[in-house]
Amino acid sequence: MASSADNNGDKVIVHNLLPHIVVYSDGTIDRPRNFPIVPPQEEDPETGVSSKDIVFSNDPYLTARLFLPKLTQTNDQNQKLTILVYFHGGGFTFESAYSNIHHAYCNLIASQANAVIATIEHRKAPEYYLPTAYNDCWAGLCWVASHATKNPINSDPWIANHGDFNRIFIGGDSSGGNLAHNVAMRAGVEALPGG
């Protein structure tokens, strides 16, 4: 039953799941625990890591932030690095691959592990219930793996030129760990591009 406030067109809380999310009668959602979004950097002044945002799928629309550490070999064009496909946490309902906390974390890992990182931005509940996030993260891993083939999907030069496909890892924090687990199970029974 709608409240009188709802009948008058006022915004009413339908689901209050503070501190994570609040869903209103007009369909809007607040995510108070989200950290601020930060832009990618051409080169981080402290670590030398570069980052950029890319679209790897248009249907559905899926994006990622890539991190490339400062290349150290004389022939930088051919330097091969470990690849990490990373899934951010946030209880499947909030946070972003582009938030300042995840950006700083991936920037640090890329620098210290000397790894190319693709952190996948997955769709979130309640707009998209599970298994949507699992499927988005699987699509991200397949996109990265496709670079090991002759016809990669939406090829990116950082992964194509510097990714070592004999050293590819997946990981994540919090719900991202759950995403990594489910993606790993799927990879155990379903082939990835390039084997």
Side-chain angles (χ1 to χ4, degrees):
M1 176 187 242
S3 70
S4 60
D6 195 24
N7 290 334
N8 293 330
D10 293 336
K11 195 160 141 172
V12 180
I13 294 175
V14 176
H15 298 288
N16 186 345
L17 303 169
L18 284 172
H20 304 293
I21 61 172
V22 179
V23 180
Y24 295 96
S25 56
D26 66 355
T28 59
I29 298 171
D30 283 337
R31 290 176 164 93
R33 290 201 55 194
N34 273 352
F35 285 89
I37 301 297
V38 296
Q41 296 176 292
E42 189 171 316
E43 185 174 313
D44 181 80
E46 291 181 26
T47 63
V49 172
S50 299
S51 55
K52 66 180 175 179
D53 297 339
I54 56 93
V55 175
F56 66 87
S57 172
N58 285 308
D59 187 24
Y61 183 78
L62 298 172
T63 63
R65 179 162 288 179
L66 302 182
F67 295 83
L68 180 68
K70 191 169 200 135
L71 301 173
T72 56
Q73 292 182 356
T74 307
N75 187 357
D76 288 345
Q77 299 293 26
N78 297 320
Q79 185 175 358
K80 297 296 183 186
L81 306 170
T82 297
I83 301 169
L84 172 63
V85 181
Y86 182 80
F87 311 120
H88 70 81
F92 305 106
T93 61
F94 65 102
E95 281 311 329
S96 169
Y98 309 122
S99 69
N100 63 351
I101 190 167
H102 295 293
H103 177 88
Y105 185 63
C106 288
N107 189 39
L108 187 63
I109 291 174
S111 170
Q112 292 185 358
N114 203 32
V116 177
I117 298 176
T119 180
I120 308 302
E121 179 71 356
H122 60 79
R123 292 172 288 175
K124 293 157 193 68
E127 297 94 334
Y128 301 95
Y129 291 110
L130 292 174
T132 300
Y134 295 140
N135 294 333
D136 292 351
C137 292
W138 174 255
L141 178 61
C142 287
W143 168 71
V144 171
S146 78
H147 287 77
T149 69
K150 292 183 184 201
N151 298 310
I153 305 163
N154 298 327
S155 180
D156 182 85
W158 287 4
I159 296 173
N161 296 338
H162 302 294
D164 181 347
F165 293 95
N166 292 315
R167 295 184 295 157
I168 184 168
F169 298 88
I170 60 173
D173 69 282
S174 192
S175 62
N178 180 279
L179 290 164
H181 171 77
N182 278 276
V183 167
M185 288 194 317
R186 188 167 174 178
V189 295
E190 197 172 321
L192 284 164

